Amino acid sequence: MSSHTLLLLYGSQTGTAQDTAERIGRQAQRRRIRVRVQALDTYNVANLILESLVVFVCSTTGQGDPPDNMKNFWRFVFRKSLPSGSLCRLDYAVLGLGDSSYPKFNFVAKKLYKRLLQLGGNALLPVGLADDQHDLGPDGVIDPWLSLFWQKALALYPPPADLSPLPDEDPLPPRYVFHFLDDTTEEPVVKPMLAHGQAPPSSAHPFPARVVSNRRVTAPGHFQDVRHIEFDITDSNIQYSAGDVVMMRPCNSPEDVEQFCQLLRLNPDKYFVLTPTDNNTAPVPVRLPQPCSIRFLVQEFLDIAAVPRRSFFELLTTFTDNELEREKLAEFSSAQGQNELHSYCSRPRRTALEVLTDFPHTTAKLNVNYLLDLFPEIQPRSFSIASSLLAHPNRIQILVAVVQYKTRLHKPRKGLCSSWLASLASSHGDVCVPLWVKKGSLKFPQDHNSPVIMVGPGTGVAPFRAAIQERIAEGRTANVLFFGCRSESQDFYCRGEWEQKIQAGQMTLFTAFSRDQEDKIYVQHRVKEQAKLLWDLIVNKNAFFYIAGNAKQMPTAVCDALKEVFQQEGGVTESQAQEMLDTMEKTSRFQSETWS
């Protein structure tokens, strides 16, 4: 395979597909195969006809959509004008990462696999469909799929005969080398990461939005802290409409940063410059200033508070010279040890930083050059925007449930982003959050006469608050909202606002307070109760129906309730009711945005 290069292209939304692609890349290096790993949208897709061996690793987002970093590639590869034999020289494999509890399970991988076949590509093996619901997690599919892939690939592209594979316990070279700057050098000028001016803010150039207010909207005694946070986006050139989402990257807590630097004996105030090593084709990450301080790297870039993946343990195994620790790390890295790893890491939500404290001998041997191999970059978080520019010019508002819960570990677990946001007080001077906006998956009707029916329990109400504000500002009053929460007195978000709008005849509200009476009442019960109204709105008035909120049972229960409405009021059979719902979905009159 000396003259050939394996190309690994990934489409990743939360970093899992990227991690998997990088892991396959390390396996290729051990097999002495030249390899490149790239995000799909950073790759010049016109070069695909020149490649001989490519593995695509991709996840599926939303309602069967490609991840953000493969959207341009996706548009290109589905162009009608591409000739059917254009990829006849390409040997390829597609590995999908998904969750079979979602209706569009691994949709992107399946569709890409078929499309590459249409374009003349030669599939080395069937599409791999990794599933979070598998007993052994996604690796239950990935491991056997990879061993078959290596069999096929090495038969077609054997590596040079004089090079034997590198053993698993030998460390591979790092991707970057740290060059620390001398103490005598002047403080480096850090280039600003934040953009003002004409181009709308983006991931690479977010806008520093001032926190205007940050208030708790659940009752003081309520178990959950939910915040209504408002940002000032004056002069940002940000435009958004109802259904869009705001993106931001959280920072690690000062305590975690300090503990990390102590464990690895790093001086947070030291500056360094990164250079890629010979085997690395990736440039220095754009978000890291050059020179950069250790503090900036640990606080704003390395995801040290996340639950580490299997690849983290694979890499740690190569550093240790302690027998006990090596045995444990090797077990966590193996296919057979995934249940053990799950009980140690995933179930109690143990962080990478806590793992380092559990393996002191290994941590003491850690080489700073490997930090970017070990820790992924902090991924941006997205929040449905809960306000309309028409009602709140120059503002973005969000509803955030602060994540905190107990596991068997001593310290309570905290959501990185929600805890960070909650800690930003608006009262002490100017606190800014770098953010940008992207299109959401919910689209509201252009037709002024179409009524809108929205089911948004809990913080799922956020995009519907934006929609109601926007529609009322445009003079549209056919707005029906189903809102559910635990208790009328504890977590009834935006109550005052809804009451005003109801009195003004601008909306209709149905509430379900699940814990305020003996029997639990949920939004799906209210949907069934309003069968006559809903049938009239959907069938006679061309209404659009939306669901937003937690993906566990609610979306399915609401869909079932809606089908019962069709059966009861329209006298249709169960399968006809399902067909009606499918037709609404195809014509965008039924939309849902759920998160786990």
Side-chain angles (χ1 to χ4, degrees), residues 220-250:
H222 191 56
F223 78 99
Q224 185 153 48
D225 177 2
V226 175
R227 299 299 177 102
H228 178 273
I229 305 177
E230 181 171 28
F231 303 97
D232 182 353
I233 54 165
T234 308
D235 298 330
S236 66
N237 202 27
I238 288 177
Q239 294 295 317
Y240 67 86
S241 45
D244 289 349
V245 292
V246 60
M247 310 288 294
M248 54 192 80
R249 271 194 194 85

Side-chain angles (χ1 to χ4, degrees), residues 349-421:
R349 312 300 295 163
R350 196 182 299 268
T351 69
L353 181 56
E354 289 168 328
V355 172
L356 292 184
T357 55
D358 280 353
F359 290 87
H361 297 284
T362 307
T363 303
K365 289 266 182 278
L366 264 187
N367 180 323
V368 66
N369 291 331
Y370 285 91
L371 286 182
L372 276 82
D373 296 82
L374 258 180
F375 298 94
E377 181 178 350
I378 293 174
Q379 295 291 327
R381 310 304 204 258
S382 61
F383 295 94
S384 293
I385 297 175
S387 55
S388 161
L389 276 173
L390 300 176
H392 300 277
N394 294 319
R395 294 287 189 266
I396 284 180
Q397 299 176 359
I398 58 174
L399 270 181
V400 183
V402 181
V403 177
Q404 183 165 356
Y405 53 94
K406 292 289 288 178
T407 66
R408 59 186 173 78
L409 297 177
H410 171 63
K411 266 172 75 174
R413 308 291 90 189
K414 290 181 170 187
L416 180 64
C417 193
S418 60
S419 304
W420 171 69
L421 282 171

Side-chain angles (χ1 to χ4, degrees), residues 254-280:
E255 307 84 68
D256 281 1
V257 172
E258 192 181 334
Q259 190 191 353
F260 183 88
C261 290
Q262 280 176 353
L263 269 177
L264 275 79
R265 296 189 291 279
L266 293 168
N267 174 354
D269 300 318
K270 268 288 215 193
Y271 278 83
F272 63 89
V273 176
L274 280 183
T275 52
T277 49
D278 298 344
N279 62 324
N280 178 17

